[in-house]
Amino acid sequence: MRYPRLSPVAACLSMLALSLAPATAQEIRDGEYFHQPGADVLVFSNWYDGLFADAKISGVELIHHGLRTVTNGDVRLEATPGQWEPIGAFVTRRVDSEAGFIEADLSYPDYDYNYTIRVERDSGGYVISVNSDQALPEGLAGKAGFNLEFVPSVYGGKGLLVDGDARIIPHSAASDMTPREGGPRPDGAAADPAPIATGTTLVLAPGDAEHRVSLSSSGAPISLYDGRNQASNGWYVARSVLPAGKTGRLMEWRLEAASQDGWVSPPVISYNQLGYTPSREKAAILQMDRDAGAPGEMQLVRLLPDGSEETVLSATPDSWGRYLRYAYARFDFSSVIEPGLYQLVHDGQRTAAFPISDTAYDEAWHATLDVFMPVQMDHMFVNEAYRVWHGTAHMDDALQAPVNHEHHDLYAQGPTTDTAFAPLEHIPGLNVGGWFDAGDFDIRTQSQYATVRTLAHIWERFGPDRDVTKVDWQRRRADIHVPDGAADLQQQIKHGTLQLLAQFDAVGFAIHGIVEPDLDQYTHLGDAVTKTDGLIYDASLGADEVTEGRSGRLDDRWAFTSRSSALQYGSAAALAAASSALRGYDDALADKALAQAVATFADENGREPDTYRHGNTTGGPLPMERFLAAAELLRATGDTQYAMAVEQAFDEATPFFGAIAPSAIAIRPMMNSAYDQRLRAAAAAWTQDMKAARKDNPFGVEITRGGWAGSGSIIGQANTADAIHGAWPDLVSKQEVLDGFDYVLGRHPGHNLSLVSGVGAQSKLVAYGSNRADFSFIAGGIVPGVLILKPDFPENREDWPFFWGQNEYVIPLGASYIQLSLAAAELARQD
């Protein structure tokens, strides 16, 4: 159907009327999803991100009173499928707002089977059906069923009615189990759970006005399972098996979700959880439901020593407009400069106390360097007071990965090993240095060299000599909160440098990384030392045989070694930067790092590049990595040959200006005026692009979309803006740097928690670290942050740590955050 084209003014008025109109019962809002006050039903608005099959962000979903509680409504082949189990392939989606239905077509290509999921309005509820003009093929009969998943953090311990019979949903996994037919799943699960309950009508959380959901089936019974019996990140799963030999409507459920008339999402006052310095701009962002109307007055109150308080500013926040599903307003309190402790108050809500102080940001980076970085140290015993974070892990590193092998976590080995080692042969010398890359335990070289290079830049610019971590290199032991007379930053630079150099010593070049070989080990949570036996694998021994420090247990990690010039250049850049930062601390290591960087650059420049690429483990874009290597070698040596290499590489590297800017700007004094002009032009172009990208939201940053949330890119952009501001303050204001800092510390959509665990009055205390199964955190770790789920839902879960795209720590982000914190503290003091 075609519609008449509206004039720009008429179109704006029409959109404004839609955004201000009150919600109607079960409308299809904005042509995207079903909406009732407090209950939004999404139908394949999102699809899996491609990294893992099951990201808990697809199919039929329910956003219930502001919290996404139900997901993955789709045809699956198991009652409680894991992350790597088969899923249907998404084909297309249709929305008919007038008729009141949303449909999605999907298929299982391996079985040549097509089906449609349809959701339609039904007098206050929704009919969910699975439809197909094909009977189930033999391979799917008895296996395919419609699943709908419920998050345990909301429904655990709540009531359950099954055909009227009263139960309690188990808070912890405690299902009866039966051995799996055909052996364990790829992730090691060796048994399947029996249903918690089975019936034709299930009511979850009856009596809970915010979370009650009822399901009723007109055909096959519904069984409720607990997926946590097989996987720590499992959800409760409601499931009906599809009938064999039938076409047309194969399954039909009716879903009702509690909805409160007039419900609107509560306002959120987002601000920097560390507070503000007196002279800087200060602005809180108020998030409101789009149907809530104009904001009321907001107050800034000062907390006095005698327990009383005084209102120092009261005003109505300035309306910003609509972003995603919310309306936003801005409350500027820059005029308040008196040091003290303050709170923001609006509509009965009161924020945590925050300071206005000259020293507000001085300690912003301490937890990251003091705790997060040591906890991530591989091949070390790491202790904090009474707690052992992990033992001396992976001393059996590493076996040569087999050829033509594609790993489940974005590693791959090409048709040759490119080394002197045969597949599954031990490569000696790799069991030193390096950090766990993320919430799992692999050493990803690209992360290692990015972290080393950033830490080296921090040392060169700021020289922080903080010393609260003791590192005993001989004993391979780190003790947190114990000084040892050495700067912690240099110790961390050394630890990363040791791993980078070990790769060159072992095989002659930079490798992709070191990772556990199978899903059973990959899903390991707990002390990393227990993931392998720590003994070098010897194929001549029996599986349980141990002799002379070797064992027959094939549990050692694999080294992926297909040559990549991007990895070579990236490692050379980091080693060159490290060589300067290590001077005076470990001169022998500094000399070795620089010699390796020089040799690697010369070797790569004298040969055709190795362009093997796979996933995100084989280095960044080659022009970018080549430029960074030349720039860092110029800084480290002053040799004019590298100035010429910078000139030659610059044009190809400018599309990646945000990544190269800090290094490119740092070498300005060593380059000619023509380079300076080219560099300023590139900086100006980047600045204009960023200004355009920041206009769509009230937070002053570019909020990215995708399966991994954007705090990393925001921190990176803020560090780039800081580098440009230092060179050309007319191009970038200091506020553009501080906007990124504010975002990470709490001024973002969704909620107002600091995205840095343990930093700020209220912060991320449930995250995807190695201790995520404990619903805990690692102090100083930075999470990816607010993930924008289509079409308009910003999400960062504090009750469920297992969303890697929202909550997983990664090591390069720790280093980048330290850099931004030090820069922000410096800029925020300036008038």
Side-chain angles (χ1 to χ4, degrees), residues 438-440 525 767-773 776-778 801 807-809:
D440 40 29
L525 292 176
Y768 193 104
S770 57
N771 57 344
R772 58 189 175 274
S776 190
F777 66 99
I778 304 172
N807 285 330
E808 185 171 12
Y809 304 130

Side-chain angles (χ1 to χ4, degrees), residues 7 167 225 270 360 394 453 469 484 546 743 788 809 826:
S7 71
R167 316 274 186 91
Y225 297 85
S270 66
H394 305 123
R453 191 178 71 244
T469 303
D484 65 355
V546 175
Y743 184 96
I788 310 302
Y809 304 130
E826 184 179 88

Side-chain angles (χ1 to χ4, degrees), residues 314-495:
S314 182
T316 300
D318 295 325
S319 178
W320 183 88
R322 169 96 172 275
Y323 174 61
L324 302 173
R325 62 172 48 209
Y326 299 111
Y328 288 90
R330 191 172 189 272
F331 180 75
D332 194 304
F333 54 103
S334 303
S335 59
V336 179
I337 62 174
E338 184 177 359
L341 205 59
Y342 294 84
Q343 289 179 311
L344 291 160
V345 180
H346 176 267
D347 193 25
Q349 293 199 34
R350 183 180 288 257
T351 69
F354 61 87
I356 293 178
S357 166
D358 283 320
T359 61
Y361 306 142
D362 287 2
E363 299 178 1
W365 53 279
H366 285 186
T368 305
L369 183 61
D370 296 359
V371 181
F372 177 69
M373 298 291 295
V375 168
Q376 299 298 109
M377 293 172 79
D378 200 354
H379 306 117
M380 298 286 281
F381 181 101
V382 179
N383 184 75
E384 181 182 16
Y386 299 161
R387 176 179 192 168
V388 174
W389 278 95
H390 58 80
T392 314
H394 305 123
M395 291 307 295
D396 44 7
D397 277 341
L399 302 182
Q400 170 68 62
V403 298
N404 297 316
H405 181 84
E406 188 169 319
H407 189 266
H408 55 267
D409 194 21
L410 302 178
Y411 292 87
Q413 185 68 40
T416 65
T417 66
D418 289 337
T419 71
F421 299 93
L424 299 186
E425 182 180 356
H426 177 71
I427 302 175
L430 292 174
N431 58 350
V432 60
W435 300 279
F436 304 138
D437 171 45
D440 40 29
F441 297 113
D442 62 315
I443 289 182
R444 175 177 173 263
T445 298
Q446 193 169 339
S447 295
Q448 308 297 307
Y449 66 60
T451 302
V452 168
R453 191 178 71 244
T454 302
L455 294 178
H457 289 177
I458 293 167
W459 181 258
E460 181 177 352
R461 176 175 169 186
F462 300 104
D465 58 0
R466 182 169 177 77
D467 171 25
V468 295
T469 303
K470 179 181 179 181
V471 180
D472 187 327
W473 299 104
Q474 291 299 116
R475 295 174 61 210
R476 294 177 178 261
R477 178 180 174 118
D479 282 282
I480 297 170
H481 312 310
V482 181
D484 65 355
D488 296 341
L489 194 72
Q490 287 182 303
Q491 291 176 323
Q492 291 298 326
I493 293 169
K494 175 175 178 175
H495 192 68

Side-chain angles (χ1 to χ4, degrees), residues 44 46-48 53 58 74-77 85-93 104-117 140:
F44 289 89
N46 298 279
W47 190 241
Y48 308 110
S58 190
D74 196 358
V75 172
R76 301 299 298 271
L77 307 188
E85 302 305 307
I87 59 170
F90 177 77
V91 178
T92 190
R93 177 175 181 265
D105 297 332
L106 300 101
S107 71
Y108 275 93
D110 290 346
Y111 298 91
D112 193 25
Y113 183 69
N114 304 304
Y115 63 97
T116 297
I117 305 289
L140 295 182

